[in-house]
């Protein structure tokens, strides 16, 4: 275990280590104090534990690393994550998991507005609520919401799948409630297990997805062009 | 981008160190707003029948002793003028209207930064660190304070374009964001008799709240109307005589974080400013919902 006090050693010391290919051993980060860009750009399979709250863009572009924040995260958590796992024990601010291609993002508390905006294959599991415009233009991947969803959930969604246990304030354009079939129960059970969230059962969730009316061209509208 | 901080002391023992904490929060927000900085502090209530003004002179080195002599002769022989660089805090038994007339006729180069019984507003072009040092922010004592670091987007970088803006007696506003309908709204407000010192968009938000309060709205109602009439991005922190309020626009683009302990309540653009406060690690922390009004009042 290597400990880095970023208030003394700086963020670069940490982030450089996370793309040093021959590095081995877990890393503990102390005194993040809301600083930006903590544990960004990791390319190696390493366990990183951050003790405290982080600012903007924590764990961005993550590949292979397993990053846990014991605290809250500011805007842009795990933006464009490619693989690996990011877990926040508290809340995440807006647009967490934006454009992320892969891996698993777990927010144990609430996520604010635009959670999973334009997600491209990441799995996101939120233990609490998500804010408005979550999964906006979500392309692929799964978003699991154990609490409530704010306005315009899944607006202009493509082929991502959304599972919600609580209330949905409103769905966005072209997002609709869908049937929960066996394969979805199985998929959701696996996602909850992967996220280590044990207090919810897959059968209590509903599924939302694309009505596919928006992204296919409708020939009846041809005269408008 | 701009930075906002607000700190409201619940435990009276901490009132002596209000400025130390606000200075630390403001400094942490320097990167969000390196162009200019300002602060509003609520302290030393002058009591009923007296008015406290913070004045800002366009002169770099105003002759405040001559000004004080004239004030004592013409307005109030018991008046007090406390100069601080190009600012001065004035206490006098007078009305705002008559003081404004007297200033306009005799000291056109002097602007009124704030009026009320407790509020004092200081602001300056330049780095937040220079502002904190020049205006002795760390020495503030008092019940609560708001601060702002500015990165200008909509109007010029000058001291008078800096925040906080006064919105009425013991009220002020700091803003992170940009308003898109400020020109039309300014014209409308001017037709209702609200005057503006600059072409700044945030000053329009302040003028809008002043107008709603003049129309008889309470602060909550004024803010509800603001959600309807202001178009743009904003996180506002509004200082009141006994506390402060926070409002984010319905889209919620601009950041805000709030925190509370038994000793204090605080808001900022980012957690790292709140991390400067004693006991921050164990504070209750949350992100304010868009289009919801949060306020603290001294009981």
């Amino acid at each position: 275990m290597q400990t880095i006090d970023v208030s003394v050693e700086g963020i670069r010391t940490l982030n450089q280590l996370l793309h040093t290919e021959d590095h081995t051993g877990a890393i503990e980060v102390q005194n993040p104090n809301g600083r930006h860009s903590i544990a960004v750009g990791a390319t190696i399979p390493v366990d990183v534990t951050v003790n405290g709250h982080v600012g903007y863009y924590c764990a961005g572009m993550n590949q292979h690393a397993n990053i846990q924040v014991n605290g809250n995260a500011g805007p842009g958590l795990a933006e464009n994550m490619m693989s690996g796992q990011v877990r926040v024990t508290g809340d995440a601010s807006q647009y967490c998991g934006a454009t992320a291609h892969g891996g698993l993002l777990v927010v144990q508390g609430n996520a604010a507005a635009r959670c999973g905006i334009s997600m491209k294959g990441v799995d996101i599991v939120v233990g609490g609520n998500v804010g408005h415009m979550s999964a906006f233009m979500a392309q692929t991947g799964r978003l699991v919401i154990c609490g409530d969803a704010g306005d315009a959930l899944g607006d202009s969604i493509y082929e991502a799948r959304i599972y919600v246990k609580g209330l949905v304030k409103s769905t966005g354009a072209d997002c609709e409630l869908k049937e929960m079939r066996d394969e979805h129960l199985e998929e959701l059970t696996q996602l909850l297990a992967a996220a280590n969230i044990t207090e919810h059962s897959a059968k209590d969730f509903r599924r939302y997805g694309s009505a596919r009316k928006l992204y296919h061209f409708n020939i009846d509208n041809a005269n408008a062009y | 981008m701009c930075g906002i901080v607000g700190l409201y002391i619940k435990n009276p023992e901490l009132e002596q160190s209000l400025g130390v904490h606000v200075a630390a929060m403001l400094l942490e927000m320097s990167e969000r707003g390196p162009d200019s900085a300002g602060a509003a502090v609520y302290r030393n209530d002058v009591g009923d029948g007296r008015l406290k003004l913070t004045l800002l002179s366009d002169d770099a080195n105003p002759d405040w002793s001559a000004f004080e002599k004239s004030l004592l002769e013409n307005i109030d022989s018991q008046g007090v003028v406390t100069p601080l660089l190009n600012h001065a805090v004035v206490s006098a038994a007078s009305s705002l209207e008559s003081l404004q007339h007297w200033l306009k006729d005799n000291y056109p180069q002097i602007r009124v930064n704030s009026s009320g019984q407790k509020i004092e507003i200081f602001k300056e072009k330049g780095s937040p660190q220079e502002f904190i040092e020049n205006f002795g922010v760390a020495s503030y004592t008092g019940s609560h304070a708001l601060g702002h670091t500015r990165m200008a987007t909509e109007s010029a970088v000058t001291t008078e374009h800096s925040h906080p803006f006064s919105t009425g007696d013991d009220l002020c506003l700091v803003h992170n964001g940009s308003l898109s309908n400020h020109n039309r709204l300014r014209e409308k407000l001017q037709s209702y008799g609200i005057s503006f010192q600059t072409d700044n968009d945030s000053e329009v938000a302040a003028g809008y709240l002043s107008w709603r309060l003049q129309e008889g709205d309470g602060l909550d109602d004024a803010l509800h109307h603001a959600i309807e009439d202001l178009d743009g991005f904003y996180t506002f922190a509004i200082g009141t005589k006994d506390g402060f309020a926070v409002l984010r626009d319905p889209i919620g683009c601009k950041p805000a974080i709030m925190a509370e302990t038994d000793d204090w309540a605080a808001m900022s653009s980012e957690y790292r400013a709140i991390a400067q406060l004693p006991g921050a690690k164990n504070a209750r922390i949350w992100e304010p919902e868009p289009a919801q009004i949060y306020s603290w009042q001294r009981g």
Side-chain angles (χ1 to χ4, degrees):
Chain A
M1 174 75 76
Q2 180 173 353
T3 300
I4 297 178
D5 182 339
V6 286
S7 70
V8 177
E9 298 171 70
I11 306 292
R12 285 297 297 141
T13 308
L14 167 67
N15 289 350
Q16 264 172 337
L17 209 54
L18 300 182
H19 46 82
T20 302
E21 280 190 14
D22 55 359
H23 174 82
T24 53
I27 299 169
E28 193 171 35
V29 179
Q30 301 290 13
N31 297 314
N33 294 338
R35 283 181 178 78
H36 299 178
S37 309
I38 286 177
V40 158
T43 55
I44 55 170
V46 58
D47 289 335
V48 181
T49 306
V50 183
N51 292 314
H53 307 306
V54 295
Y56 281 61
Y57 308 127
C58 177
M61 302 177 283
N62 184 44
Q63 291 182 65
H64 308 302
N66 174 25
I67 299 166
Q68 169 152 339
V69 176
N70 292 320
N72 301 322
L77 171 73
E79 196 169 57
N80 214 62
M81 174 159 72
M82 302 303 286
S83 62
Q85 192 181 128
V86 174
R87 177 183 292 272
V88 170
T89 61
D91 299 335
S93 186
Q94 49 181 323
Y95 50 90
C96 70
T99 74
H101 290 244
L104 174 66
L105 168 62
V106 182
V107 178
Q108 292 182 193
N110 301 315
R114 294 173 277 276
C115 170
I117 182 171
S118 195
M119 54 193 273
K120 295 178 170 74
V122 69
D123 290 326
I124 304 176
V125 180
V126 179
N129 308 323
V130 300
H132 63 271
M133 296 297 278
S134 287
F136 175 56
M137 295 190 80
Q139 288 144 57
T140 56
R142 285 85 53 98
L143 170 61
V144 179
I145 302 157
C146 299
D148 302 333
D151 270 323
L153 176 70
D155 192 288
S156 308
I157 188 172
Y158 292 84
E159 290 304 302
R161 292 191 285 283
I162 307 173
Y163 296 100
V164 188
K165 185 178 178 189
L167 300 171
V168 173
K169 198 168 178 194
S170 67
T171 51
D174 211 33
C175 179
E176 65 175 13
L177 184 65
K178 293 191 171 252
E179 183 192 359
M180 195 78 173
R181 295 194 298 268
D182 287 348
E183 74 244 44
H184 303 119
L185 283 171
E186 194 179 321
E187 168 176 89
L188 179 55
T189 302
Q190 284 171 7
L191 281 167
L192 289 169
N196 200 20
I197 287 184
T198 54
E199 64 267 43
H200 302 291
S201 165
K203 65 177 172 38
D204 298 328
F205 285 73
R206 282 157 296 131
R207 178 169 71 101
Y208 291 83
S210 176
R212 302 192 177 99
K213 287 179 183 154
L214 203 56
Y215 69 86
H216 286 309
F217 183 68
N218 185 344
I219 194 66
D220 294 339
N221 295 334
N223 288 338
Y225 295 90
Chain B
M1 202 194 285
C2 293
I4 299 178
V5 305
L7 179 62
Y8 167 72
I9 301 294
K10 292 159 74 178
N11 175 357
E13 283 175 22
L14 281 179
E15 289 192 357
Q16 293 306 311
S17 56
L18 173 76
V20 173
H21 301 310
V22 169
M25 292 175 84
L26 258 183
L27 194 60
E28 194 62 39
M29 290 293 95
S30 295
E31 292 158 21
R32 294 190 67 94
D35 296 340
S36 55
V41 59
Y42 291 81
R43 58 177 171 183
N44 306 334
D45 194 333
V46 293
D48 289 341
R50 295 189 75 78
L51 186 69
K52 190 204 287 195
L53 300 181
T54 317
L55 304 179
L56 167 63
S57 174
D58 288 347
D59 295 341
N61 296 300
D63 186 351
W64 288 119
S65 58
F67 175 86
E68 181 175 35
K69 194 161 168 271
S70 175
L71 181 94
L72 298 187
E73 278 170 14
N74 297 295
I75 302 290
D76 175 11
S77 61
Q78 305 296 310
V80 181
V81 177
T82 313
L84 183 54
L85 304 172
N86 56 346
H87 289 57
V89 177
V90 173
S91 157
S94 178
S95 73
L96 177 59
E97 204 175 20
S98 54
L99 266 172
Q100 273 174 329
H101 274 297
W102 178 72
L103 285 169
K104 197 176 168 189
D105 292 344
N106 299 284
Y107 298 93
Q109 76 280 19
I110 290 179
R111 302 160 188 271
V112 177
N113 259 6
S114 72
S115 65
Q117 290 172 328
K118 278 180 83 177
I119 191 172
E120 296 171 24
I121 292 179
F122 306 98
K123 51 193 184 182
E124 184 183 45
K125 185 174 92 168
S127 78
Q129 179 155 11
E130 283 168 359
F131 169 76
I132 289 165
E133 286 166 8
N134 292 345
F135 287 84
V137 175
S139 67
Y140 289 176
T141 59
S143 53
H144 55 298
L146 260 65
H148 187 270
T149 61
R150 179 166 186 245
M151 186 181 284
T153 58
E154 299 292 302
S155 57
V157 179
T158 72
T159 294
E160 54 272 22
H161 282 83
S162 310
H163 303 225
F165 288 105
S166 171
T167 58
D169 275 1
D170 284 319
L171 288 169
C172 71
L173 171 137
V174 291
H175 172 208
N176 172 22
S178 57
L179 301 178
S180 44
N181 64 340
H182 63 100
N183 284 327
R184 182 71 54 85
L185 196 54
R186 187 185 297 106
E187 283 172 16
K188 184 175 138 183
L189 292 168
Q190 280 167 334
S191 75
Y192 297 150
I194 303 289
S195 59
F196 293 92
Q197 299 185 351
T198 73
D199 59 349
N200 180 284
D201 60 328
S202 310
E203 192 187 9
V204 174
Y208 179 86
L209 292 180
S210 302
W211 170 61
R212 288 310 319 167
L213 294 163
Q214 277 178 26
E215 290 295 299
D217 278 0
L219 184 60
D220 276 19
D221 286 336
L223 290 172
H224 278 296
H225 281 115
I227 295 171
E228 298 297 317
D229 288 341
L230 297 179
D231 186 13
F233 299 123
Y234 52 84
T235 294
F236 292 136
I238 296 107
T240 66
K241 192 175 182 184
D242 302 308
F244 67 80
V246 175
L247 175 67
R248 297 173 78 197
D249 70 73
I251 304 290
C253 272
K254 293 296 173 187
I257 189 93
M258 301 174 84
E260 190 165 15
T261 69
D262 289 344
D263 291 335
W264 46 260
M267 77 80 58
S268 181
S269 299
E270 294 182 43
Y271 173 76
R272 58 187 171 132
I274 287 168
Q276 309 304 316
L277 298 174
K281 278 190 177 138
N282 300 314
R284 185 170 76 89
I285 294 167
W286 72 100
E287 180 170 322
E289 295 281 333
Q292 266 195 35
I293 296 160
Y294 295 79
S295 59
W296 276 284
Q297 293 288 337
R298 184 154 286 241

